[in-house]
Amino acid sequence: MRQLARWVARAFGRTSTAPRARGFFEYLDDSDGRLAMSGWMLLDGPAFESVRIEVGGERLGIATPIVRNDVAAEFSWLPAASQSGFGLRETVSAERLRDWVAIEAIGERRGRDAGKLATLYRSGFRRGLPQPPAALMHRVATLSDPMAYFTGALQNFGELRTAIRRHCRGPIARLLDWGCGCGRLTSFLIRDGIGESIHGCDVEPELVAWCATNLAPGRFVQSPDDPPLPYDDGSFDVVVNYGTLTNLQPARQMAWLRELARVLAPGGHLLVSVNGEFAADYVLPAQNRGPILSELRARGISDGGHADVVPWDQYRGTYQTRAHTFREWSRILPIVAYEERVMSHLQDLVVLARPR
């Protein structure tokens, strides 16, 4: 039974049943034979009394608390935010990190698991991944620090990898990263062979050009602002996206969902992220939270937020309830899975499938 639990932890990155917290692994590295990490984590309520680190379901150690005034400034309405930092540096065998393994930071209160961050990890996870210029990293992720940029991408890649393996049966001939930016996720997908042929598209020509030059053998094209995409019907077995539908007004969001369904092959899967109610609580500035949460309760969706990354006026910060997503999106494709708070420990992951 213990061996089975370890296999599940390694395969799916799930050990503690604590709810997902808001936060990030900002640094992960084991190049000197010790696993070093740092980040921050918080949920409503008092600060975590301790943060336990587990690797593959086995305890590695207790992280050192770190004061985070920057997090406190961002989440000024949460008293525990200033005590949200953690860091750890522990010796770990190379064998434990040779293949993908789940790492969890588990916040404890009164001896109970109260919240967690989770990511896949393996030694040399950045190896072979070209680093975009700082300006491009900031444009797509509001991050200029390479380690934070790649560890954030690693966490999202791990969630997509787990979901693809869980839901997609058979070989993946063609995969599309819609809204690929400068290849933050695409680079992982290419290097780890998630699909036989991997494609990416984005509306910004500079980002597409950088990917085409640096992310061979991926194939990249510029996408229009509105449908259709330059692909034939049923072109892809899998389509993935992080953080584009979260910036679209409801009508444009539905138009793009119909277009993504068109390019999806029968039996194919669409994996996309949305800003759910958790995201609304943890992203919105205090002065905007009340009206948007009221609209969410009344309509199930609100596009009253500000989109930080994309510069165009027609892009918004869009938040939607789980009930709205099921009700409206199921008109286009069946939803086969809905994972809350998993993408960047913030957005919800929705898995849809095109019937055969």
Side-chain angles (χ1 to χ4, degrees):
M1 199 56 129
R2 183 177 177 82
Q3 186 177 8
L4 176 62
R6 289 179 181 175
W7 181 86
V8 170
R10 285 182 175 271
F12 299 110
R14 302 286 187 270
T15 52
S16 172
T17 58
R20 293 287 186 125
R22 180 70 182 115
F24 286 104
F25 290 100
E26 296 171 318
Y27 184 91
L28 283 166
D29 183 70
D30 69 301
S31 57
D32 67 352
R34 291 178 291 179
L35 181 59
M37 69 179 68
S38 62
W40 59 271
M41 173 174 58
L42 74 161
L43 277 175
D44 290 344
F48 296 118
E49 295 165 3
S50 60
V51 176
R52 184 176 80 253
I53 305 300
E54 293 192 353
V55 176
E58 297 181 350
R59 174 171 164 158
L60 181 65
I62 298 296
T64 302
I66 300 173
V67 173
R68 292 297 298 261
N69 292 324
D70 56 332
V71 179
E74 183 175 354
F75 299 99
S76 57
W77 66 95
L78 293 175
S82 63
Q83 305 299 314
S84 61
F86 65 89
L88 177 125
R89 190 181 186 90
E90 288 284 346
T91 301
V92 62
S93 69
E95 182 62 30
R96 291 181 72 183
L97 304 178
R98 192 180 307 279
D99 200 1
W100 290 115
V101 64
I103 291 180
E104 289 188 322
I106 303 163
E108 300 171 328
R109 292 179 184 145
R110 297 182 179 179
R112 295 185 177 183
D113 295 356
K116 69 177 180 181
L117 303 182
T119 187
L120 286 188
Y121 181 82
R122 75 179 182 193
S123 289
F125 78 93
R126 289 180 56 185
R127 191 176 301 122
L129 301 179
Q131 181 177 310
L136 298 190
M137 290 192 293
H138 192 271
R139 188 183 306 179
V140 302
T142 63
L143 291 169
S144 299
D145 174 63
M147 178 58 80
Y149 174 88
F150 280 109
T151 55
L154 171 70
Q155 192 271 330
N156 285 336
F157 163 75
E159 294 296 338
L160 289 175
R161 179 181 184 271
T162 297
I164 288 171
R165 292 192 166 206
R166 184 178 292 153
H167 297 288
C168 304
R169 308 301 179 190
I172 298 171
R174 289 165 59 90
L175 180 148
L176 172 66
D177 185 359
W178 175 64
C180 63
C182 53
R184 193 179 184 203
L185 279 172
T186 330
S187 58
F188 280 90
L189 297 167
I190 292 171
R191 188 197 60 184
D192 288 271
I194 300 299
E196 296 174 15
S197 176
I198 294 183
H199 300 247
C201 64
D202 198 275
V203 297
E204 292 200 61
E206 184 180 2
L207 302 179
V208 172
W210 189 89
C211 290
T213 301
N214 294 278
L215 297 181
R219 303 177 184 179
F220 299 90
V221 299
Q222 186 176 353
S223 166
D225 286 336
D226 293 294
L229 290 168
Y231 304 112
D232 294 335
D233 294 357
S235 290
F236 300 101
D237 301 304
V238 174
V239 177
V240 301
N241 171 262
Y242 171 74
T244 299
L245 293 173
T246 59
N247 289 325
L248 299 183
Q249 296 166 322
R252 295 187 73 214
Q253 187 186 83
M254 297 301 285
W256 273 112
L257 274 174
R258 287 189 288 270
E259 177 63 4
L260 296 177
R262 180 188 70 79
V263 301
L264 199 63
H269 287 78
L270 171 63
L271 297 90
V272 295
S273 70
V274 296
N275 278 327
E277 293 160 276
F278 181 79
D281 267 335
Y282 280 87
V283 170
L284 297 172
Q287 64 269 26
N288 295 340
R289 190 176 306 110
I292 290 179
L293 292 180
S294 295
E295 189 175 16
L296 274 180
R297 287 189 289 268
R299 298 179 55 224
I301 190 167
S302 172
D303 63 355
H306 174 68
D308 291 327
V309 176
V310 288
W312 304 284
D313 292 339
Q314 66 264 37
Y315 287 81
R316 309 293 293 275
T318 299
Y319 303 85
Q320 55 203 81
T321 65
R322 179 180 180 137
H324 172 91
T325 301
F326 270 88
R327 183 179 65 251
E328 299 300 325
W329 288 22
S330 295
R331 303 175 192 271
I332 298 173
L333 289 173
I335 295 175
V336 298
Y338 190 105
E339 296 276 350
E340 295 184 352
R341 313 181 185 186
V342 298
M343 302 299 287
S344 293
H345 301 106
L346 178 69
Q347 297 182 10
D348 302 343
L349 176 64
V350 189
V351 183
L352 306 96
R354 179 175 172 181
R356 293 187 182 275

